Every structure is written in C-alpha cells, then in structure tokens.
Amino acid sequence: MALQTSPTIFFLLLILLVSLFHTPTFALKKKSYVVYLGSHSHGSEFSSVEFNRVTDSHYEFLGSFLKSSSDTAKESIFYSYTRHINGFAATLEEQVAAEIAKHPNVVSVFENNGRKLHTTRSWGFMGLEDDYGVITSNSIWNKARFGEGVIIANLDTGVWPESKSFNDEGFGPIPSKWRGICEKGSDLAFHCNRKLIGARYFNKGYASRLSTPLNSSSNTPRDNEGHGSHTLSTAGGNMVPGVSVFGQGYGTAKGGSPKARVASYKVCWPPVNGDECFDADILAAFDMAIHDGVDVLSLSLGGSASNFFNDSVAIGSFHAAKKGIVVVCSAGNSGPNEATVENLAPWYITVGASTMDREFPSYVVLGNNLTLKGESLSATRLAYKLYPIIKATDAKLTSATNEDAVLCQNGTLDPNKVKGKIVLCLRGINARVDKGQQALQAGAVGMVLANDIITGNEIIADPHVLPASHINFSDGLKVFNYVNSSKAPVAYIAYPTTKLHTKPAPFMAAFSSKGPNTMVPEILKPDITAPGVSVIAAYTEAEGPTNQVFDYRRIKFNSISGTSMSCPHISGIAGLLKAVYPSWSPAAIKSAIMTTATTLDNEAEPLLNASFIQATPFSYGAGHVQPNKAMDPGLVYDATMNDYFNVLCALGYNETEKSIFSNATYYCHKNFSLLNLNYPSITVPNLSGSVTVKRTLKNVGAPATYIVHVQNPDGITVSVKPSILEFKHVGEEKRFEVKLKANKGKVTKSYVFGKMTWSDGKHYVKSPLVVKGI
Ligand SMILES: *[C@@H]1O[C@H](CO)[C@@H](O)[C@H](O)[C@H]1NC(C)=O
Ligand SMILES: *[C@@H]1O[C@H](CO)[C@@H](O)[C@H](O)[C@H]1NC(C)=O
Ligand SMILES: *[C@@H]1O[C@H](CO)[C@@H](O)[C@H](O)[C@H]1NC(C)=O
Ligand SMILES: *[C@@H]1O[C@H](CO)[C@@H](O)[C@H](O)[C@H]1NC(C)=O
Ligand SMILES: *[C@@H]1O[C@H](CO)[C@@H](O)[C@H](O)[C@H]1NC(C)=O
Ligand SMILES: *[C@@H]1O[C@H](CO)[C@@H](O)[C@H](O)[C@H]1NC(C)=O
Ligand SMILES: *[C@@H]1O[C@H](CO)[C@@H](O)[C@H](O)[C@H]1NC(C)=O
Ligand SMILES: *[C@@H]1O[C@H](CO)[C@@H](O)[C@H](O)[C@H]1NC(C)=O
Ligand SMILES: *[C@@H]1O[C@H](CO)[C@@H](O)[C@H](O)[C@H]1NC(C)=O
Ligand SMILES: *[C@@H]1O[C@H](CO)[C@@H](O)[C@H](O)[C@H]1NC(C)=O
Ligand SMILES: *[C@@H]1O[C@H](CO)[C@@H](O)[C@H](O)[C@H]1NC(C)=O
C-alpha cells in the first residue's frame, strides 16, 4: 500500500502584506500584535546577512521584555519585517504588548484585527465559519460541539506529538471508554496527553519485508515523514492560530473535529520498493484500534484493487464497521484516467480530492511582457530583474535523454548551461519539488514548472527550495513558444501571495482517482469529494517540507496535496456527525454526507475537472461535501452488516473466503442483487432493456412527505414507484423501486449520468444515477 499524497509537495515565503491575523475562536491568553519600529538603518544595499541581523535584533528586543530566553521571542515572532518596514508581528500577552508600546524606539503596537485568513481554509470554504473565523449560525460545529467526546484515529506514518495541533490545553479527562495506550517504544521523548490520547506502532510486517534487520530507532510512533501528522490534524487537530507556510495562508490551522480526541496508529514506514504500509501491520492496527475504542478511522493509503478477501483495508474496515466505527479512505492519486479508484468496498467512505477557493499566485513575467499566473509557496525571492530562461532540454547533459531532461530528472541538467538561469521543466514522473531540487543543485536561480495536457489547470503551490512557479498547460505552451521563438529569452518569477475567493472552486484535482469501480461495478466509487489541494496542516520537524534529502528547512505546518488530504476532511466531518448522532450506523453517516453533497461550484455551475470540462460522478461521487447540510439530511439510506455480507455472497465468495470477514454464520439472501444494496448512489453497469432497483429510505427528521424528482441519464428513462413517500415518525422506513429503461436505439455503451432527488421542500436527498448500456 502507498500513501496517497499527490506525487509531490510544496511550499513557501514571506509576504509583503502586513497581513492580519486572527482572533482565535477559543479563549487564549495571548493575542497577535504588530510591533512597528519605523524604518531601517540599513541602506538600499541590504543583503541577507543584513536581514538576519535585523531579525536577530527583533528577537533580542522582544526577549528583553519576556524575562526569559530569546528562544521564547523566537517562538512568539511569526514575522520579522526586514526589508522596508521595520518591525515584527508576534503573539504576546496583553500586558507585554502594553509595555513594549512604551519603549522610545517603538512607533506603535497594534492588535492584529481586521482581515483574518484561515489556514485550514477548507472549513470556511465548506461553510463552518466565515472569513473572520466566526462560526456561522448554521455551522455543524455548534450542534456537534466541535466533535467533543469523539475519538478519531488514523493509520498512517505516526504523529509529531509536539505539534500544537495535539496540545491538550483545555481538554478534560480522557473518555472512560478509551482503552488505548501510548506506546513509546525506544523513543523516550514521545508522549501522549489528553488530546493525543493514544499512539502505537506496527512494524513487524514492514520488518519482514526488509532485507536488513529493522533499525531499533524504528520502534516509535513518531512521525518522521509528515504525512500522518498532517492527516490527523486535518481530521481532529486543535485550532492553532498564527500559522502560515513561509508567510502564506496565514491564519488558524484546525481539524474538522477540533475538540475530538485523537490517536495515531503508525503503519507506514520508509518505502520498500515503493510500498510503505504493509497489510500485516494494517490489520494489526485495525485490530488494536477497534479494541481501543475509536469512533472514526481515517486511512489515507491504498493499493491497487484486489479481492476483498485479500485486502487488509477491506477486511479490517469490515470488522470496524461491525463495531459501528466509521472508516474513511482516500480514493488514490492515479487520475485523471478512469477505473483508477482504490478502496472499493461499500462499507467505508471513499474520498476524491478537489480544490478550495484559495490560491498562492506567483506570477511569471516573460521578456515579451506576457504575465502568467502560476502558484508557489517558495520561500526565497528573486532580485527584481529579468533572468535568462532556458528549456531543460536545451540545458541537458549529453548523457541524458530528452525525455528525462524535459522533466528535470536527477542527473539530466548541465550546470554549465543552467547556472544563473531560470529553468523550464515539464510536470510528470518525478516529484514537483524534486525538479526544483535538481534545478537548484545544477545552479539555476529559479524554475518554471509547466503542466502537461493531462494535468491541465491543476496547479499546486509547493514549498519549492528555490523561487519557482507552477503554471497551467495553456500558459506552459506560451512559455515554450516564447523561449522557442526568442534569441535571448528572459523571465522573472514574482514572490507568491495569498488569494481567497478564487473561482471556479472547487474543481476536481487531476490526480484524483476515478471510477468506475473495478471490483464491484454496481457500487459507485469514489463516494464524495473534499478539499485536497494545497491543504495546510501540522507536519513533522524531522524532515523538510519537500521531504527531499537536501531540504534542511524545518516547519511546523506544511501545505501538501492528495486524496490523502481530502480523506481526513471527511473523517473530521464524520466525527462531528458521530457527536450529534452517536447511535447512527456508519452507513447512515455515509448516507448523510453523500445525499447532501453539491454538484455545483461557487459560480453555481456544474463541478469541473482540471481541464475545466464538466466532471462526472466518477470523479466526485455524490458531489462536494456540505457538512452543515449533512447534519440534517432528512432521510438516510441505512445498511447493516448483513447487507454487506450479502454483497460478499453476491460476489461469489465461498465459505472460507467469507469466514475472513466473520466467523458467524450468515445466511446469504438467495439471489441478492448487488444493484439492490441500499447504497446512497445507484449504478447499473450493464443495462439491457430495463432493470428495477430497490432502495429503502429511513426518516431521521420530522414527519414529512417527500416527492421524488429525477434527472434522466441520456437515453434512459427512469421511473420511481411510489413517487411520494409519507413519513409519520422518526425511524420509519419506506421502500421504493427505481426502474431504469433504455430508450430504443438511444443507449450508448459508455456511461451516462443522472440524478434522483427526494425532497420535502426543506431537505434534498440526492443520489447520482450512473448507467451503462450493453
Ligand atoms: C538507525 O537509523 C538512524 C537514523 O536513520 C541512524 O542514525 C542509526 O545509525 C541507525 N542505527 C542502526 C543500528 O542502523
Ligand atoms: C489478491 O487476489 C487476487 C486474485 O485473487 C490477486 O490477483 C492479488 O494479487 C491478490 N492480492 C494480494 C495482495 O495478495
Ligand atoms: C514591456 O513593457 C515595458 C514597460 O512598459 C516596455 O518598456 C517594453 O518595451 C515592453 N517590451 C515588449 C517586448 O513589449
Ligand atoms: C491558465 O492560467 C491562466 C492564468 O495565467 C488563466 O487565465 C487561464 O484561464 C488558465 N486556463 C486555461 C485553460 O487557459
Ligand atoms: C541524484 O542521484 C544521485 C546518484 O544516484 C544521488 O546520490 C542523489 O542523492 C540524487 N539527488 C536527488 C536530489 O535525489
Ligand atoms: C518548442 O520547440 C520544440 C523543439 O525545440 C518543439 O518540440 C515544441 O513543440 C515547441 N513548442 C512550442 C510551444 O512552440
Ligand atoms: C476532463 O474531461 C474530459 C472529457 O471527459 C476529458 O477528456 C479530460 O481528460 C478530463 N480532464 C481531466 C484533467 O480530468
Ligand atoms: C474458496 O476459494 C479459494 C480460492 O479463492 C480456495 O482456495 C478455497 O479452497 C475455496 N474454499 C472452499 C471451501 O471452497
Ligand atoms: C467468533 O468470534 C468471536 C469474537 O469476534 C469469538 O468470541 C467467538 O468465540 C468466535 N467463534 C468461533 C466459533 O470461533
Ligand atoms: C430468485 O431466483 C429464482 C430462480 O432463478 C427466481 O425464480 C426468483 O424470482 C428470484 N427471486 C428474486 C427475489 O429475485
Ligand atoms: C456486463 O455483461 C457482460 C455480458 O453479459 C459481462 O461479460 C460483463 O462482465 C458485464 N460487465 C459488468 C461490468 O458487469
């Protein structure tokens, strides 16, 4: 199994703006302030040495007020303005701020009110809070008490316990139902607390695949990679104000269930032949997590599809579901080709990835004055002038092939040709941040990274190790064209900024794996999409933000992308639903999330793919999650373990195979059809003539009368019987049948899509219809 971070990672910089921060939602003793000291004594010939000197003077200055070491000042200062503005921004106690204001060198001290951007922007984007971090009146956070009482865990690379995302300030005693432990192994510095209530590591399956004995330093639940801390904090991390990635995306980092307790089950290790997480360890972790008493399990990992009886995630999650645990899995990063989705069983939630309405624009200016909008989180800045720009293929070593060189792969760039220039690289194969590393090592001053046609408009802000900008496919053509047609091409890459409310958003990430489901074509996968591009959350401090060997930087929060990042968004939301409805089955929670999703973007247009062409349920499942609506779905498509056992029977599993899922005897429903699993989506992969599909709806709202409305897939006529369902009390169930009929001579052999909606005028219970004729 592999982790599902998109093939690369990102990063960095400072910002021009004295941008303002953010009054935390939870009561905090400290606030953020700007301390303005006027202008600098250095002249226009300033250098990085000068900047460091200024920053040091800021530390020293603040340190003199803090009565403790300058380390505390270092921690408090999140900006040191060194170029034109002299001053710094820091989190301070009110009293300290007042004292500083009296100092004769200080021009002014002001609180950081005003514009407050949200680092984990995704929650605002989904309507749980507004731009200022104020919880919206209809926010699920109110009713779900921020996930209080719920335990969310992940199976991942472990956790960085020192991260503020896992600090336990304000948390009461550990819930009595918790039976987990804090397994430190040989890592005596590792610790749990009332927020991070458990951690374990599972490396025996991993060790068994190594050719050399396991290094004893591996006996730790500590996250030395970053992935696990990022995903766990996205699901259930605390609200941590004053976070940014090299100054960008400033705001409060937070998980979906910020008051939930979290636990970490480390099952993923440094890769062996590309595999990081092994089945034996995954199963052991499931086993323990179920025992320990988790409510939600988040798995941002996957592998190629295989029969459920030899798939550790399918098996482990089946057992978890039996205990009412909601399991959430990522869909994989093998898009945009179809039939690439992983984690295909119907008893968990499978999550695709899409963008949010935040960008980190970094403009590329060409010598012909064309200005192109790329994205980046580079931390370093180019001096303001034009630099020669060279195509990687023109800068290659004679030993390298054009195919490798165009991608800026390791060992392809000739330092003699690259030195002092901006290199133009194409996306693909090696990690985006690796291309930057190769360019830097060869002596380049910057990199323009262009998409290929497949990745289209999906540009990702990575924490590159040099000034860099990632541009879309059509802009890439413009740069190639300019470089091809000029004798002495030149360019400039501007320092990144942070931009909110971008449109269209969301749109599907090109990397997000797509349906159809190759194991059970009757079950649509993925189920849902959530933000997974440039997500800022907690990270490891054991490696740099690009995870490259030569990246010596260390940051506490990082921006990364992948279905790995979208999955824990759904886990956090599942935690909220668990808090509101502790007795709901995992199927009911999935149904609430799916039937209330939207298929429209923030321009009220149908969701697009990364080529800006209308996307389909094969990308987004039921649509983009709307957590506030999921809290009140009206009706749910519920299911029991017996229903899932019928699925195993229908798949033709024999007794031995079925016993892997349960030692109890299940009597298979005679000729149960997979089409009739009570799933919140309907997929008919082989329609010839007509077929009737059965479903049951359960009322979880007030008594109401629901009427069905259908949007027919092309060439298909759908009729629903009965078309009106009257529910008189909570928990009441009603069956109905959906007849799908191919219109004569109109049926295509490719998939077509429609929608079925039950509504009482207040709730809209939506299901995608997915049909292919034969
Ligand atoms: C174990 O790994 C650590 C870190 O990679 C390394 O410093 C140490 O030498 C290794 N120990 C052994 C016994 O290989
Ligand atoms: C699972 O079984 C299928 C066929 O039954 C096989 O192709 C696949 O390699 C197996 N996977 C594992 C992980 O053993
Ligand atoms: C680009 O713009 C600058 C400033 O407006 C101008 O001086 C220069 O001639 C322009 N160059 C081209 C190639 O158009
Ligand atoms: C590519 O990026 C540019 C911004 O530089 C934008 O105007 C354009 O819409 C994007 N997409 C396409 C398909 O051109
Ligand atoms: C490039 O390859 C060389 C030799 O294989 C290796 O030593 C080096 O670490 C690689 N560099 C990067 C950045 O991966
Ligand atoms: C640029 O030139 C290369 C050959 O050097 C060619 O393959 C490529 O298609 C050209 N690109 C554009 C956009 O003109
Ligand atoms: C977008 O959809 C079109 C039409 O289905 C397809 O050709 C294209 O490859 C898709 N692009 C992406 C990035 O998914
Ligand atoms: C069940 O099927 C597996 C192959 O998938 C086979 O090895 C096993 O013997 C079968 N068991 C029974 C009881 O038929
Ligand atoms: C079946 O599993 C349960 C625990 O899940 C165990 O208590 C029981 O003894 C098992 N029964 C058999 C027949 O193995
Ligand atoms: C089950 O199969 C039998 C024989 O194939 C058929 O007569 C019967 O109608 C089926 N029952 C259902 C509920 O589909
Ligand atoms: C559709 O039916 C054909 C023949 O009836 C069968 O070969 C194929 O596997 C079926 N496909 C799916 C997705 O069920």
Side-chain angles (χ1 to χ4, degrees):
M1 303 262 168
L3 296 170
Q4 299 189 329
T5 310
S6 132
T8 305
I9 310 186
F10 334 121
F11 214 105
L12 272 299
L13 275 172
L14 303 162
I15 214 177
L16 321 149
L17 256 176
V18 181
S19 136
L20 312 173
F21 313 143
H22 165 181
T23 319
T25 317
F26 296 153
L28 278 174
K29 284 166 281 169
K30 291 183 179 177
K31 291 176 180 171
S32 62
Y33 293 90
V34 172
V35 177
Y36 182 45
L37 301 168
S39 51
H40 292 283
S41 52
H42 61 63
S44 53
E45 292 291 297
F46 38 87
S47 65
S48 62
V49 175
E50 196 63 35
F51 296 152
N52 290 342
R53 198 194 56 73
V54 171
T55 301
D56 286 344
S57 76
H58 290 158
Y59 291 149
E60 206 176 301
F61 179 80
L62 180 59
S64 70
F65 289 89
L66 293 178
K67 302 175 189 98
S68 54
S69 72
S70 65
D71 271 280
T72 317
K74 226 171 197 163
E75 242 172 59
S76 306
I77 294 182
F78 46 78
Y79 269 136
S80 169
Y81 307 116
T82 57
R83 285 160 171 79
H84 299 282
I85 295 164
N86 187 6
F88 57 88
T91 48
L92 303 169
E93 282 167 16
E94 214 169 292
Q95 194 191 333
V96 174
E99 270 172 47
I100 292 173
K102 289 182 203 145
H103 193 279
N105 290 358
V106 172
V107 178
S108 61
V109 176
F110 50 91
E111 207 178 313
N112 234 347
N113 286 327
R115 220 159 34 134
K116 296 144 192 153
L117 312 183
H118 290 263
T119 295
T120 313
R121 170 72 186 164
S122 45
W123 303 109
F125 179 55
M126 293 184 285
L128 279 66
E129 58 184 359
D130 71 10
D131 280 0
Y132 302 94
V134 177
I135 313 301
T136 49
S137 60
N138 64 339
S139 177
I140 185 173
W141 274 341
N142 294 322
K143 203 167 172 190
R145 303 176 318 277
F146 301 91
E148 199 178 285
V150 171
I151 302 171
I152 302 180
N154 69 354
L155 268 55
D156 210 301
T157 61
V159 63
W160 192 258
E162 291 81 9
S163 170
K164 285 183 181 167
S165 293
F166 310 118
N167 180 305
D168 69 355
E169 213 179 292
F171 282 86
I174 292 170
S176 57
K177 68 171 180 178
W178 180 243
R179 299 168 68 193
I181 60 163
C182 194
E183 187 187 20
K184 290 166 189 267
S186 57
D187 183 350
L188 298 180
F190 192 92
H191 60 275
C192 297
N193 59 29
R194 294 187 310 272
K195 170 74 182 180
L196 175 63
I197 60 175
R200 298 178 188 267
Y201 60 91
F202 301 86
N203 59 18
K204 292 181 183 142
Y206 171 64
S208 74
R209 296 289 296 269
L210 289 174
S211 48
T212 55
L214 192 69
N215 185 330
S216 67
S217 68
S218 295
N219 289 331
T220 173
R222 182 174 290 279
D223 178 14
N224 291 315
E225 203 277 346
H227 191 274
S229 305
H230 200 278
T231 55
L232 192 60
S233 65
T234 299
N238 292 327
M239 297 211 175
V240 183
V243 164
S244 75
V245 177
F246 298 109
Q248 302 301 332
Y250 207 94
T252 298
K254 64 186 79 74
S257 284
K259 286 196 178 174
R261 313 301 172 112
V262 297
S264 165
Y265 295 81
K266 179 170 178 168
V267 297
C268 302
W269 304 91
V272 184
N273 301 327
D275 283 329
E276 299 155 288
C277 332
F278 292 91
D279 286 332
D281 297 330
I282 291 170
L283 277 178
F286 263 113
D287 200 33
M288 249 346 158
I290 297 167
H291 161 270
D292 290 349
V294 307
D295 297 306
V296 178
L297 266 177
S298 194
L299 278 86
S300 293
L301 52 85
S304 51
S306 79
N307 285 314
F308 297 146
F309 59 74
N310 66 2
D311 170 343
S312 60
V313 174
I315 297 165
S317 60
F318 194 94
H319 288 273
K322 274 200 254 181
K323 295 286 177 203
I325 298 167
V326 182
V327 180
V328 187
C329 299
S330 46
N333 303 323
S334 310
N337 289 338
E338 292 204 336
T340 47
V341 60
E342 300 165 19
N343 294 321
L344 303 173
W347 45 86
Y348 47 66
I349 308 175
T350 305
V351 189
S354 39
T355 63
M356 58 183 119
D357 65 344
R358 177 179 62 191
E359 290 174 355
F360 300 107
S362 165
Y363 289 88
V364 176
V365 185
L366 301 178
N368 62 3
N369 284 350
L370 255 181
T371 299
L372 311 168
K373 192 177 82 179
E375 284 197 57
S376 181
L377 283 168
S378 290
T380 44
R381 187 188 291 267
L382 281 179
Y384 189 65
K385 62 172 195 169
L386 291 166
Y387 295 82
I389 178 167
I390 185 167
K391 287 189 293 181
T393 44
D394 289 344
K396 76 179 190 68
L397 289 162
T398 46
S399 57
T401 64
N402 270 330
E403 290 68 32
D404 288 342
V406 71
L407 301 168
C408 294
Q409 301 219 53
N410 192 358
T412 60
L413 296 173
D414 182 347
N416 295 322
K417 295 177 182 159
V418 165
K419 197 168 170 19
K421 295 179 186 161
I422 292 172
V423 184
L424 175 55
C425 305
L426 192 67
R427 186 172 179 186
I429 311 286
N430 57 329
R432 300 181 299 273
V433 291
D434 176 59
K435 297 169 196 284
Q437 180 67 56
Q438 302 306 335
L440 181 68
Q441 276 185 300
V445 296
M447 172 180 70
V448 172
L449 172 61
N451 268 353
D452 53 16
I453 188 163
I454 302 200
T455 41
N457 287 307
E458 176 196 273
I459 56 176
I460 299 180
D462 291 316
H464 295 287
V465 292
L466 82 176
S469 181
H470 181 185
I471 58 176
N472 67 21
F473 172 66
S474 50
D475 282 351
L477 287 183
K478 289 176 189 163
V479 181
F480 275 104
N481 193 36
Y482 164 68
V483 174
N484 277 359
S485 61
S486 45
K487 280 234 166 60
V490 288
Y492 175 71
I493 300 169
Y495 196 76
T497 57
T498 304
K499 199 171 162 223
L500 297 184
H501 305 296
T502 59
K503 289 177 179 177
F507 63 86
M508 293 308 302
F511 61 72
S512 187
S513 287
K514 279 189 196 163
N517 184 331
T518 51
M519 290 300 303
V520 197
E522 294 82 356
I523 308 288
L524 177 67
K525 290 281 171 175
D527 293 303
I528 191 88
T529 187
V533 178
S534 301
V535 175
I536 298 178
Y539 216 61
T540 184
E541 291 179 60
E543 288 195 356
T546 63
N547 294 94
Q548 299 283 301
V549 221
F550 303 104
D551 189 350
Y552 300 112
R553 303 170 299 179
R554 295 294 179 265
I555 57 175
K556 294 178 196 304
F557 288 82
N558 195 13
S559 169
I560 53 177
S561 301
T563 53
S564 279
M565 282 65 244
S566 59
C567 165
H569 278 92
I570 298 297
S571 306
I573 293 160
L576 298 173
L577 291 171
K578 269 272 186 188
V580 184
Y581 305 110
S583 66
W584 279 18
S585 69
I589 286 175
K590 169 158 66 181
S591 178
I593 289 172
M594 286 176 68
T595 62
T596 56
T598 181
T599 55
L600 299 179
D601 64 22
N602 61 359
E603 297 181 298
E605 296 291 339
L607 287 179
L608 300 176
N609 73 15
S611 310
F612 284 177
I613 289 166
Q614 198 168 324
T616 73
F618 280 154
S619 291
Y620 55 68
H624 191 268
V625 64
Q626 300 196 103
N628 298 338
K629 293 204 164 145
M631 181 172 59
D632 181 21
L635 306 174
V636 294
Y637 294 94
D638 207 350
T640 64
M641 294 318 290
N642 265 318
D643 294 314
Y644 298 135
F645 221 79
N646 283 330
V647 169
L648 299 178
C649 300
L651 288 172
Y653 286 17
N654 66 29
E655 289 309 316
T656 322
E657 290 161 346
K658 278 183 287 184
S659 67
I660 292 169
F661 295 87
S662 173
N663 67 359
T665 311
Y666 275 91
Y667 294 98
C668 287
H669 186 290
K670 291 271 181 303
N671 52 14
F672 170 82
S673 163
L674 291 168
L675 296 175
N676 293 336
L677 175 68
N678 203 34
Y679 214 71
S681 55
I682 292 178
T683 304
V684 178
N686 253 350
L687 180 66
S688 120
S690 73
V691 68
T692 299
V693 174
K694 295 173 182 149
R695 287 290 185 274
T696 302
L697 276 166
K698 182 195 269 184
N699 185 31
V700 293
T705 301
Y706 282 81
I707 301 175
V708 78
H709 175 262
V710 173
Q711 200 180 304
N712 286 323
D714 249 5
I716 309 286
T717 302
V718 179
S719 47
V720 182
K721 258 203 238 165
S723 61
I724 298 180
L725 296 176
E726 203 185 332
F727 293 93
K728 297 208 174 68
H729 50 85
V730 180
E732 188 177 357
E733 295 196 322
K734 296 268 178 180
R735 292 158 189 268
F736 63 94
E737 294 186 349
V738 182
K739 185 174 176 191
L740 299 106
K741 187 169 162 293
N743 300 347
K744 256 205 155 55
K746 286 278 174 60
V747 174
T748 63
K749 285 185 182 158
S750 55
Y751 277 99
V752 286
F753 305 93
K755 189 187 281 185
M756 174 179 72
T757 308
W758 287 96
S759 181
D760 62 351
K762 179 168 175 255
H763 304 95
Y764 294 84
V765 186
K766 296 168 279 188
S767 292
L769 303 175
V770 180
V771 187
K772 181 165 74 68
I774 49 169

